[in-house]
Amino acid sequence: MRPLGKDKAVRIVLDGMGGDHAPAEVVKGAVGASLEYGVEVVLVGKRDMLEGELRQLQASSKISIVDASDAVDFNDQPSKVRHLKDSSIMVAMNLLKSGEAQALVSAGNTGAVMAAALFVLGRIKGFDRPALCAIFPTPSPDLLLIIDVGANADCKPHHLVQFAQMGTTYMERVFGMKSPRVGLLSNGEEDTKGNQLVRDAHKAMGKTELNFIGNIEGKDIWAGVADVIVTDGFTGNVLIKASEGFSALALNFLKQTLQSRLEFRIPGFLLNPAFAEFKKRMDYSEYGGVPLLGVDGNVICAHGRSDANAIKNAIRIANQSMEQGMPEAMRR
Amino acid sequence: MRPLGKDKAVRIVLDGMGGDHAPAEVVKGAVGASLEYGVEVVLVGKRDMLEGELRQLQASSKISIVDASDAVDFNDQPSKVRHLKDSSIMVAMNLLKSGEAQALVSAGNTGAVMAAALFVLGRIKGFDRPALCAIFPTPSPDLLLIIDVGANADCKPHHLVQFAQMGTTYMERVFGMKSPRVGLLSNGEEDTKGNQLVRDAHKAMGKTELNFIGNIEGKDIWAGVADVIVTDGFTGNVLIKASEGFSALALNFLKQTLQSRLEFRIPGFLLNPAFAEFKKRMDYSEYGGVPLLGVDGNVICAHGRSDANAIKNAIRIANQSMEQGMPEAMRR
């Protein structure tokens, strides 16, 4: 793998065929990121389609194309992906593995991306299962990391312990946080609360070197009491998607209320920028992508419904993550 | 049990010792509900404490007191409750069972309330496990029911099917909804998504007479695509508490944004009523209480942190639920 460093040109490989709006929005996002962040993007997918999109955009930015004749179908079992050697995700993953690129972004099926990452890159020693982490703002200046938000629907207690270790390392190394407080998401604060998985994980976590502060209830997720919140990928996925839905609902209700109740009505053109700003801060889909931790490479999973803006943001996250020395930090 | 009917005086029994702010706030809530809804409230708990609170309020409303010498400690195992025959929740439950009251409200430990309900009232035939349902507003005129939101942290697939049946009955009988659409909360829309529990429940639900529309993702919970959303009590509890936390966070951020970004700043005295209105519509803790379905009686669990207003609202819900013929409707 070629040495990483800020003096070197950064090259990010992008799965051109992954996501609901591929390839059009993906290519648009690639061009945007390349212009805005000065990164070199390698688009992987069906060459003629990708070239067609690029031509339409009349882009002269640093984009190259690597051909991949197959695409992973949304209904394909993730386990089948490794056999689709010419699929865009497998070709892209191999470019990352060989060091042709320093990070990978895909808006394709998360299960497929994870399967390809496991097959091509392998795990980092000590972590049995890769996990997806989402990073949220909180009212305090600090960020909040939630892990796992969708990679593992069924978990064992030791997986949750490993997620806690991954999340801790990420916050320490990438965000320079000292001894992040780890909370275990549960249905009550008391040690005895939780389903079987959580009760067992609680006991196991208490025996580690982690800065484990105990169970965290849903209401306290964003209250700034923990820096890393650990949960299984089913609950975590429901949670972050619910926050997306709830955010939309909140805006809807609040707009109605503000515009109907006040004697002094606030005109839409004044309200809308505030609401857009809010959405940008609160909606995890605006963040573009979530890192896949535990695999031996810098992989960012973008939202399946990513538009060009989300793809651009995912590339920004990949770029940051790489500059901050992932996945080397995780390996140490 | 004495016959129910709107011409009869309604009597609601209230656990005077349950909740973080008992007995002071509970007694205040009882007085408020009695004045506002004209219901008769039977307060159960330590007589001297309850009388002391009532005296302070100089209340002359329809409140009576039934003495109970014990209280359930927050750390008591729910299974121990049945042996605490003189605890306020057991005495209250027996008043409901004997027909002295038509509904019960408690802000005490949910596990303890459920254990007492199961022991004293028993299950309604066909339902193995009682479940808590929360009712939310949606942007459409219809309400949304989520079940289970905390009674059963660990579930089997057939429990989820029964929760769906309870939720359906509640929406049909109490809110007059025709053939409510049942969605199964999952980490993806596809039939193959979910943890093991959800995948198995999905198959089982497809074989019932329920109006089952398949998996629902977190983002679509409040989108009006389903009327009844079924989940295990762990995920459901995390979800509704997270919506509470998220609601607070959303308000915080939005206030900041609205007050910092607009050239034309909106003064707090105009914004605050709108935000209060919003909180009232969105925050499940404002709803006062959630019905415990599947037990043979009208039991409402109030939030542990209930203040007087929440207790008053819980009594309103108990009153409504009773007027709408629960739990008879569930039995049919």
Side-chain angles (χ1 to χ4, degrees):
Chain A
M1 201 157 174
R2 76 171 125 162
L4 303 179
K6 289 186 188 177
D7 52 327
K8 290 269 177 182
V10 173
R11 203 182 281 159
I12 290 169
V13 62
L14 179 60
D15 175 0
M17 311 309 283
D20 300 350
H21 306 300
E25 292 291 312
V26 174
V27 173
K28 240 184 251 175
V31 171
S34 163
L35 291 171
E36 198 165 331
Y37 315 126
V39 294
E40 206 180 315
V41 179
V42 182
L43 271 167
V44 180
K46 292 181 183 162
R47 183 180 293 276
D48 52 342
M49 289 175 76
L50 298 174
E51 278 177 349
E53 295 294 338
L54 273 176
R55 254 196 311 274
Q56 279 190 28
L57 295 170
Q58 301 183 298
S60 59
S61 49
K62 292 181 286 182
I63 310 271
S64 53
I65 293 176
V66 169
D67 194 45
S69 53
D70 272 348
V72 175
D73 187 82
F74 200 74
N75 292 315
D76 280 340
Q77 283 297 318
S79 56
K80 279 175 69 179
V81 172
R82 65 174 70 177
H83 304 298
L84 295 168
K85 296 222 181 293
D86 266 334
S87 62
S88 55
I89 185 64
M90 285 293 284
V91 171
M93 207 59 85
N94 277 305
L95 289 172
L96 179 63
K97 171 76 178 174
S98 69
E100 289 296 300
Q102 288 88 48
L104 178 148
V105 171
S106 175
N109 183 314
T110 306
V113 175
M114 192 163 79
L118 280 173
F119 185 68
V120 176
L121 308 173
R123 291 174 185 82
I124 291 177
K125 211 182 145 188
F127 301 123
D128 293 341
R129 299 251 202 115
L132 289 167
C133 67
I135 292 156
F136 283 92
T138 69
S140 81
D142 289 333
L143 293 169
L144 166 71
L145 182 145
I146 305 182
I147 185 169
D148 173 26
V149 297
N152 309 278
D154 289 289
C155 293
K156 301 282 181 202
H158 71 276
H159 297 138
L160 297 195
V161 174
Q162 293 176 0
F163 298 165
Q165 287 160 338
M166 287 194 247
T168 294
T169 306
Y170 197 82
M171 289 307 249
E172 283 177 349
R173 304 294 165 91
V174 176
F175 294 107
M177 195 178 267
K178 297 238 184 293
S179 190
R181 296 159 299 169
V182 174
L184 181 61
L185 190 60
S186 188
N187 57 338
E189 285 172 6
E190 305 83 7
D191 296 359
T192 52
K193 285 290 181 112
N195 53 19
Q196 193 63 51
L197 170 67
V198 166
R199 291 197 306 273
D200 291 345
H202 190 286
K203 282 178 208 149
M205 242 178 260
K207 293 175 194 153
T208 65
E209 308 263 285
L210 292 163
N211 183 7
F212 179 52
I213 60 162
N215 289 344
I216 297 283
E217 284 190 290
K219 74 179 171 60
D220 293 326
I221 292 172
W222 294 278
V225 294
D227 306 304
V228 171
I229 291 183
V230 176
T231 185
D232 65 273
F234 179 84
T235 310
N237 188 269
V238 165
L239 178 69
I240 63 162
K241 287 182 181 162
S243 75
E244 187 185 343
F246 198 78
S247 173
L249 179 71
L251 290 186
N252 188 323
F253 271 174
L254 210 55
K255 265 191 184 175
Q256 275 180 22
T257 312
L258 277 173
Q259 294 188 328
S260 68
R261 285 276 308 254
L262 300 181
E263 290 179 68
F264 190 102
R265 296 211 183 163
I266 304 165
F269 74 88
L270 283 177
L271 271 183
N272 289 338
F275 283 105
E277 168 75 19
F278 168 78
K279 192 168 182 312
K280 214 166 169 175
R281 285 179 76 179
M282 300 297 295
D283 187 344
Y284 91 105
S285 67
E286 285 280 328
Y287 280 70
V290 290
L292 181 67
L293 302 183
V295 295
D296 199 4
N298 208 344
V299 176
I300 306 292
C301 292
H303 208 292
R305 292 187 305 283
S306 290
D307 58 9
N309 188 47
I311 294 287
K312 196 185 77 180
N313 283 331
I315 294 173
R316 179 179 49 77
I317 288 169
N319 191 27
Q320 272 178 359
S321 181
M322 193 226 67
E323 281 181 349
Q324 286 145 346
M326 300 294 291
E328 288 73 9
M330 203 59 74
R331 238 183 261 136
R332 283 195 296 266
Chain B
M1 202 156 173
R2 75 170 125 163
L4 305 178
K6 289 182 189 180
D7 52 327
K8 292 268 177 186
V10 174
R11 202 183 282 158
I12 291 168
V13 62
L14 179 61
D15 175 1
M17 311 310 281
D20 300 351
H21 306 300
E25 292 290 313
V26 175
V27 174
K28 241 184 250 173
V31 172
S34 165
L35 291 171
E36 199 164 323
Y37 315 127
V39 293
E40 206 180 316
V41 180
V42 183
L43 271 167
V44 180
K46 293 181 181 160
R47 183 181 295 275
D48 52 343
M49 288 176 77
L50 297 174
E51 278 178 350
E53 296 293 339
L54 273 175
R55 254 196 311 277
Q56 280 191 25
L57 295 169
Q58 301 184 299
S60 60
S61 49
K62 293 180 284 183
I63 310 270
S64 53
I65 292 176
V66 169
D67 193 45
S69 53
D70 273 348
V72 175
D73 187 82
F74 201 73
N75 292 315
D76 280 340
Q77 283 296 317
S79 56
K80 279 175 68 180
V81 172
R82 66 175 69 179
H83 304 298
L84 296 167
K85 296 223 181 291
D86 266 334
S87 63
S88 55
I89 185 63
M90 284 293 283
V91 172
M93 207 59 84
N94 277 304
L95 289 172
L96 179 63
K97 171 77 178 175
S98 69
E100 289 295 301
Q102 288 88 49
L104 179 148
V105 171
S106 175
N109 183 313
T110 305
V113 176
M114 192 162 81
L118 280 172
F119 184 68
V120 176
L121 308 173
R123 292 174 184 82
I124 292 178
K125 210 183 145 189
F127 301 124
D128 293 339
R129 298 252 201 111
L132 288 167
C133 68
I135 292 156
F136 282 93
T138 68
S140 81
D142 289 332
L143 293 170
L144 166 70
L145 182 146
I146 304 182
I147 185 169
D148 174 25
V149 297
N152 309 278
D154 288 288
C155 294
K156 302 281 181 202
H158 72 277
H159 297 137
L160 297 195
V161 173
Q162 292 176 1
F163 299 165
Q165 287 160 339
M166 289 194 248
T168 294
T169 306
Y170 197 82
M171 289 307 250
E172 283 176 348
R173 303 296 165 89
V174 176
F175 294 107
M177 196 178 266
K178 296 238 184 294
S179 190
R181 296 159 299 169
V182 175
L184 182 60
L185 190 60
S186 188
N187 57 339
E189 286 173 5
E190 306 82 9
D191 296 0
T192 53
K193 285 289 182 112
N195 53 19
Q196 192 65 51
L197 170 67
V198 165
R199 291 198 304 275
D200 291 346
H202 189 285
K203 284 178 206 147
M205 243 177 261
K207 292 175 193 151
T208 64
E209 308 263 286
L210 291 162
N211 183 7
F212 179 52
I213 60 161
N215 288 344
I216 297 283
E217 285 189 290
K219 73 178 172 61
D220 292 325
I221 293 172
W222 294 277
V225 294
D227 306 304
V228 171
I229 292 182
V230 176
T231 186
D232 65 274
F234 179 84
T235 311
N237 189 269
V238 165
L239 179 69
I240 63 163
K241 286 181 180 162
S243 76
E244 187 185 343
F246 199 77
S247 173
L249 178 71
L251 290 186
N252 187 322
F253 272 174
L254 209 54
K255 267 191 183 174
Q256 275 181 21
T257 312
L258 276 173
Q259 294 188 328
S260 70
R261 284 277 308 254
L262 298 182
E263 288 178 69
F264 190 102
R265 295 208 186 164
I266 303 166
F269 73 89
L270 283 176
L271 272 183
N272 290 337
F275 282 107
E277 167 76 18
F278 167 78
K279 192 168 182 310
K280 213 166 169 178
R281 287 180 73 179
M282 300 298 293
D283 187 344
Y284 90 105
S285 66
E286 285 280 329
Y287 281 70
V290 289
L292 181 67
L293 302 183
V295 295
D296 200 5
N298 209 344
V299 177
I300 306 292
C301 293
H303 208 293
R305 292 187 306 282
S306 291
D307 59 9
N309 187 48
I311 295 287
K312 196 186 76 179
N313 282 332
I315 294 173
R316 180 179 49 78
I317 288 170
N319 190 27
Q320 273 178 359
S321 180
M322 193 228 66
E323 281 182 347
Q324 286 146 347
M326 299 295 289
E328 289 74 9
M330 202 60 75
R331 238 183 263 135
R332 283 195 294 267

